[in-house]
Amino acid sequence: MVPDSGSGTGDPARASDETADEGAALLDELRAAIGRYVVLPSDEALTAVTLWVAASHIQPALQHAPRLAVVGPTKGCGKSRVLDVLHETVHKPMMTVNTSPAVVFRIIGEDPPTLLVDEADTIFGPKAGDKEDLRGLLNAGHQRNRPAWRISGPEHKPTAFPTFAMAALAGIGDLPDTIMDRAVVLRMQKRKPGEKIAPFRSRYSVPELNALRDRLAAWLTPLRGAAHRLVPPMPVEDRAADTWEPLVIVADLAGGHWPAQARAACLSMTRTEVVQDEQTTLKTRLLRDIRRAFEQQGNTEALRSHDLLAALVQDAEAPWAEYGTKGLNAYHLANLLRDFGISPANHRFENGRQAKAYARNQFLDAWARYCPGPARPAPAVSETVPARRVPGMPPTPPTGTLPVGPPGGPAGPRPTR
C-alpha cells in the first residue's frame, strides 16, 4: 500500500519548528496521561508505550507492526488497565478476549485496526486447542506482506487475507518466544503501597484520552509519507531493530528530547529482555537437570534439597557449580523454581526422619510444559489386543519378557492433560 504522501519530507530535520514542537509537546501530554492511569515498570517502559500508541496512527506507512506484550506474574498487576488506556488512544482499536480467527482475518485490511487482546495466556496456553490459527496470524502479522491463505466464498477459491496489524497482548506469564521476540515487553508488577494512580472512569477519562487520540491522528496522518521514507539510525540490530523502528520513527518526527529518549528506552528494554531470555533458558536447563537427577535415583517420590543440590553441582557439564559466587545453593534453587510454582517442603523419608525436600510430582507439570520428553513410539498392535479367552479355560499367560523399571518407563507415569 502506498502511504499518504502528506506534507512530510522524510527528513525530520527539515520539518518546521512549529510541527516539531507540536509533536514533542503532544507526546509529552500523552506520556503524562498514560502515567496517571497506570504504574509501568520503568520510565523507559512509559516512553515505549507512549511511542507505541503514536506509531499505531502511522500503521499504513510501516514495514513492521510491533507487538506490545503486557505480561505479569499474577493477576492485579495492571495489565487490563493498560489495555483500557490503549483502547482510548490507539488507531481503530479492536478489543477482544476470545475471538474467532475468521473474524480477525476479515477485519484486517489496508488500514488495519490495532488489536488489543486480553487474557492472551488462554490463547497460548496448553489448553489453547483450536486457537492455532490465531497464533499463526499474530506471528505473521508482525511484518507486512505475510498473508494467510484460506479457501473462501461459495466458489471455494483460495483467498489471501492480510495479517499485518499492530497488536497488544496482555496475559499472566510470558507469551511464546515467537511473540516475545517481536514485542516491546512490559513486565508489570503489583503497585507498592505508596504508588497512586488516578481512577479510570469513562465519564471523564475517555473524553480526555480520546481528545489526545484525535490530536495524534491530526498530527501524524499527514506525516505518513515522511514516516514511510525515514530510515532512522538504530541502536540495536536484527529483530529488535524491526520491532523498535516504528517507535523511533515517531520520536524522530516529534523531535526535541524524544529521539534520544526513544533510543535510550530501546537499549534499556532490549538489554533487559536479553537478560530475561538468558534467565529463562537457564531455568529450562535446571528443569531438565532436575529430571535427570530424579531418574538417576529411580524416580523416587522426593529428593532431599541437599541431595538434589549435590547432584546438580557435581555435573561437570552443567553451570551450577559456578552459579553465583560459590555455586548453586538452596536459596538460589528455590528462587529459580519459584516461577514454576515449585517449592521445598518437609518430607518424611523411609527412616522416619524429616527433611526439606522437593517432591517429584511438583515438577510434572513444568516438565510437560517447558521440557517435554521425546514422544514414545506407539505400541505394536499385538501388544494392545488381548488374546481371546476360551470359556471354561484359564487365561493364557503372557509371552515374552516384562519391562524392567518403574511404570511408564524411566520418566515414570505421565500426568493426564
Side-chain angles (χ1 to χ4, degrees), residues 166-300:
M166 290 178 66
L169 304 99
I172 296 176
D174 278 8
L175 303 174
D177 289 345
T178 53
I179 296 291
M180 300 291 276
D181 194 39
R182 294 166 167 82
V184 175
V185 181
L186 306 182
R187 297 192 173 275
M188 305 294 290
Q189 298 290 336
K190 283 197 171 185
R191 285 187 290 125
K192 298 177 183 177
E195 292 178 325
K196 302 294 183 182
I197 58 173
F200 187 89
R201 298 291 182 266
S202 297
R203 61 183 179 273
Y204 55 81
S205 303
V206 169
E208 172 201 4
L209 295 174
N210 286 172
L212 282 170
R213 178 199 61 199
D214 295 342
R215 290 169 60 197
L216 280 172
W219 167 52
L220 286 168
T221 299
L223 295 177
R224 287 179 178 177
H228 181 68
R229 292 187 290 273
L230 273 178
V231 183
M234 297 294 297
V236 293
E237 297 178 337
D238 303 325
R239 181 64 59 75
D242 295 341
T243 298
W244 277 85
E245 185 183 70
L247 281 64
V248 172
I249 286 175
V250 170
D252 284 353
L253 290 173
H257 61 87
W258 280 97
Q261 191 168 319
R263 288 169 172 84
C266 172
L267 276 175
S268 174
M269 295 181 70
T270 51
R271 285 171 179 168
T272 297
E273 286 310 301
V274 168
V275 173
Q276 185 70 28
D277 288 345
E278 292 173 351
Q279 189 75 352
T280 300
T281 302
L282 191 69
K283 290 177 182 178
T284 305
R285 169 67 186 267
L286 178 61
L287 288 174
R288 290 198 303 267
D289 290 350
I290 290 175
R291 180 169 58 190
R292 184 165 55 251
F294 271 98
E295 290 172 351
Q296 291 171 350
Q297 297 298 320
N299 285 318
T300 183

Side-chain angles (χ1 to χ4, degrees), residues 112-192:
T114 305
L115 304 177
L116 306 175
V117 184
D118 204 358
E119 299 182 16
D121 45 302
T122 63
I123 296 174
F124 302 110
K127 298 180 181 180
D130 59 354
K131 299 296 192 302
E132 289 300 321
D133 280 352
L134 192 54
R135 288 181 61 166
L137 183 153
L138 292 170
N139 280 331
H142 177 257
Q143 186 170 341
R144 191 175 291 282
N145 299 325
R146 296 292 187 272
W149 286 86
R150 294 290 185 273
I151 299 297
S152 179
E155 298 181 359
H156 302 287
K157 290 184 176 181
T159 305
F161 291 94
T163 62
F164 182 79
M166 290 178 66
L169 304 99
I172 296 176
D174 278 8
L175 303 174
D177 289 345
T178 53
I179 296 291
M180 300 291 276
D181 194 39
R182 294 166 167 82
V184 175
V185 181
L186 306 182
R187 297 192 173 275
M188 305 294 290
Q189 298 290 336
K190 283 197 171 185
R191 285 187 290 125
K192 298 177 183 177

Side-chain angles (χ1 to χ4, degrees), residues 6-7 9 17 41 56 84 109 119 132 151 153 160 180 206 252 255 263 312 345 360 380 389:
S7 58
T9 62
D17 291 339
S56 72
D84 289 337
E119 299 182 16
E132 289 300 321
I151 299 297
M180 300 291 276
V206 169
D252 284 353
R263 288 169 172 84
L312 293 170
R360 183 178 179 276
R389 182 179 175 184

Side-chain angles (χ1 to χ4, degrees), residues 23-68:
L26 185 52
L27 291 182
D28 288 341
E29 286 186 51
L30 176 62
R31 190 179 190 277
I34 294 172
R36 280 197 298 273
Y37 292 110
V38 64
V39 175
L40 289 165
S42 63
D43 287 340
E44 291 82 5
L46 181 54
T47 295
V49 174
T50 303
L51 292 170
W52 191 89
V53 168
S56 72
H57 292 274
I58 56 170
Q59 282 191 79
L62 301 176
Q63 178 64 30
H64 293 89
R67 277 72 187 95
L68 187 69

